[in-house]
Amino acid sequence: MADVANGNSHDFASLLSSSERDYLIRNNGDHVKIDSLKGKKLGLYFSASWCGPCQRFTPILVEAYNELAPKGDFEIVFISADEDDESFKTYFSKMPWLAIPFSDSEIRNRLDELFKVQGIPCLVILDENGKASCESGVEIIREYGVEGYPFTPEKIKELKEQEESARRDQSLRSILVFRSRDYVISPDGKKILVSDLVGKNILLYFSAHWCPPCRAFLPKLIKAYHEIKAKDDAFEVIFISSDGDQASFDKFFSEMPWLALPFGDERKASLNHKFKVQGIPMLVALGPTGRTITKEARMLVMVHGADAYPFTDEHLKEVEAKYEEMAKGWPEKIKHALHEEHELIPSRRTFYNCDGCGEEGNIWSFYCEECDFDLHPKCALKEGEETKDDGKEDEKDEAKPGEGWDCDGEVCYKA
């Protein structure tokens, strides 16, 4: 980073103005004198409308800004990386803060170089003297929201210490009991006390009926749930819904064999904040003490199914060892009638669709990287058996994301 980050201070006018301009703009066209920023903390927001992560982060930043703006000592300045003025104006129209005019490319480029911006979105926090106090504002806002204010190293250290203390003291009661709410509900509407779940391994399932990736994941989770319950009854799943109405919640929950927070329960906001839920479906694994084991349980269920349980690092190492043992004795490469162009090599693959039987696969594939061709080991090593292709096209999913969310096929993100 440049000298601003090396401990030197700059007045905002020298950073943000040009010889022809001593003001910043609002999205309604108003001019705001740069001198009016004196004594304030400043966030320089490097972003662009064409950037997906920027589009997802901007609403989060807007929410934080609207809470901080009334303090009167904090402002944000948008430094655009858009390619044309129309894109800039459309994107800036969603922002309640200030911006450097799109026409002033010289200043925008200079700030990019000064702060060595390697990627966007990027939020650099300057203190009242123009000294960079935080270069990772995006991560801090995502992690702590307005609680991170004033975004100094001392404040972030304090929050991390508090977080670590809360993590050590976390229990099922501490995260699921709030005021008179000390229960979850079963599919038949019965209240199940949180105290009855203490000592169990719990999965918190953040999901919604309107979310196509959630509905695609649900059958996999149900299958894993029944397999896990068959071998360990000290296990449960709790659905935390992002549905927009009671009817949608009821419809989706009726497909599930586990428990849920009631629709509209005030504990949902607390859980979203605690586990930093930015996209759904999301699956958080809690151990018998109520402490978090992993927030990546969805991926583990996708890859390993019920074998991932109880989701601890020690168990997953054992699972990996079994997969390595599975491949012993396999040929280093094979020729197959379904892919005569090249030899197929046993390869670790997270997910794939078998080009033989058409079914999903994971972990191991006999793979041709050049052609992106996969065969299940069972298909590759049993040449001569018929493969199946029912000729049915995938059903089109016409469902629309819930209000305030965008879906990319794998995850629905807050928008």
Side-chain angles (χ1 to χ4, degrees):
M1 204 167 208
D3 54 355
V4 173
N6 289 334
N8 294 330
S9 298
H10 287 241
D11 66 88
F12 294 147
S14 67
L15 283 175
L16 304 174
S17 65
S18 66
S19 56
E20 295 81 21
R21 179 185 53 78
D22 63 353
Y23 61 86
L24 300 167
I25 59 172
R26 294 198 180 277
N27 56 24
N28 62 2
D30 286 351
H31 291 184
V32 176
K33 292 286 188 178
I34 295 173
D35 283 347
S36 68
L37 299 177
K38 287 182 178 179
K40 293 188 177 185
K41 301 170 185 66
L42 194 65
L44 301 180
Y45 183 41
F46 300 84
S47 185
S49 62
W50 48 260
C51 166
C54 296
Q55 289 277 8
R56 290 194 287 271
F57 177 68
T58 295
I60 298 171
L61 186 58
V62 169
E63 184 177 345
Y65 176 84
N66 287 337
E67 288 190 52
L68 293 174
K71 293 178 180 291
D73 62 352
F74 179 69
E75 189 54 79
I76 294 177
V77 177
F78 171 39
I79 296 97
S80 175
D82 279 302
E83 298 175 352
D84 57 75
D85 188 54
E86 183 178 352
S87 298
F88 164 80
K89 288 179 179 176
T90 300
Y91 191 33
F92 186 38
S93 69
K94 305 173 184 177
M95 302 177 183
W97 45 73
L98 306 174
I100 292 174
F102 183 77
S103 58
D104 201 340
S105 58
E106 181 179 347
I107 296 298
R108 291 190 288 117
N109 292 337
R110 180 162 67 84
L111 289 169
D112 276 350
E113 294 176 5
L114 181 64
F115 292 99
K116 301 189 186 303
V117 177
Q118 299 298 316
I120 54 175
C122 174
L123 181 66
V124 178
I125 306 295
L126 307 180
D127 67 14
E128 300 87 341
N129 299 311
K131 178 181 176 182
S133 62
C134 176
E135 302 168 23
S136 54
V138 170
E139 289 75 17
I140 298 304
I141 291 290
R142 280 179 176 151
E143 189 79 6
Y144 301 109
V146 296
E147 292 182 16
Y149 184 80
F151 313 111
T152 60
E154 294 77 17
K155 181 62 176 180
I156 302 310
K157 180 182 178 182
E158 176 188 337
L159 290 172
K160 287 184 181 297
E161 290 174 350
Q162 291 174 358
E163 195 173 63
E164 181 56 34
S165 176
R167 187 180 295 115
R168 288 194 302 268
D169 298 336
Q170 179 177 304
S171 67
L172 200 62
R173 293 176 187 273
S174 73
I175 62 175
L176 282 183
V177 175
F178 182 67
R179 295 176 183 166
S180 62
R181 294 280 185 163
D182 61 351
Y183 63 88
V184 293
I185 58 173
S186 62
D188 59 3
K190 293 180 180 178
K191 293 182 179 180
I192 309 297
L193 294 177
V194 172
S195 58
D196 293 339
L197 302 175
V198 171
K200 294 189 175 186
N201 288 289
I202 302 291
L203 289 177
L204 301 179
Y205 179 41
F206 298 85
S207 185
H209 179 263
W210 51 258
C211 164
C214 295
R215 294 204 305 279
F217 176 61
L218 181 59
K220 296 180 176 65
L221 183 56
I222 291 175
K223 181 175 185 293
Y225 174 82
H226 287 306
E227 292 178 6
I228 295 170
K229 288 286 279 187
K231 61 185 179 182
D232 185 1
D233 192 53
F235 166 72
E236 197 50 79
V237 175
I238 300 173
F239 170 43
I240 295 103
S241 173
S242 289
D243 283 303
D245 55 73
Q246 183 75 52
S248 297
F249 167 85
D250 291 342
K251 177 176 175 57
F252 203 32
F253 187 36
S254 69
E255 302 174 27
M256 303 175 187
W258 45 71
L259 309 176
L261 287 189
F263 175 74
D265 196 291
E266 57 188 337
R267 289 171 289 178
K268 173 181 176 290
S270 171
L271 291 168
N272 281 348
H273 177 73
K274 181 173 186 60
F275 295 107
K276 311 297 187 293
V277 179
Q278 298 298 328
I280 56 174
M282 180 174 174
L283 203 60
V284 177
L286 307 176
T289 65
R291 292 183 185 176
T292 304
I293 296 174
T294 178
K295 295 192 288 186
E296 304 299 329
R298 178 208 175 191
M299 178 62 68
L300 295 175
V301 170
M302 291 284 288
V303 174
H304 304 297
D307 288 343
Y309 181 79
F311 309 102
T312 61
D313 289 341
E314 294 78 9
H315 176 72
L316 292 172
K317 288 177 182 177
E318 294 176 4
V319 171
E320 283 296 317
K322 289 179 182 178
Y323 288 130
E324 292 301 322
E325 185 68 25
M326 178 193 303
K328 288 183 179 179
W330 286 352
E332 294 183 1
K333 52 189 175 182
I334 65 170
K335 290 286 290 184
H336 198 281
L338 292 178
H339 191 71
E340 297 180 341
E341 296 91 335
H342 308 101
E343 292 177 315
L344 303 177
I345 299 172
S347 306
R348 292 299 296 267
R349 300 272 283 157
T350 304
F351 302 112
Y352 63 89
N353 284 317
C354 177
D355 291 293
C357 66
E359 296 179 355
E360 289 184 356
N362 55 30
I363 309 299
W364 283 113
S365 164
F366 278 81
Y367 182 55
C368 173
E369 183 177 7
E370 184 174 345
C371 302
D372 194 25
F373 182 93
D374 289 280
L375 283 182
H376 285 136
K378 65 181 181 180
C379 295
L381 299 176
K382 295 182 179 180
E383 185 172 356
E385 294 186 5
E386 291 185 3
T387 57
K388 63 180 181 181
D389 181 2
D390 58 15
K392 294 181 181 179
E393 294 183 1
D394 294 337
E395 294 183 4
K396 292 183 179 180
D397 196 333
E398 301 295 339
K400 295 182 179 179
E403 184 177 354
W405 296 76
D406 287 328
C407 298
D408 65 7
E410 292 296 329
V411 177
C412 289
Y413 296 96
K414 292 182 178 179

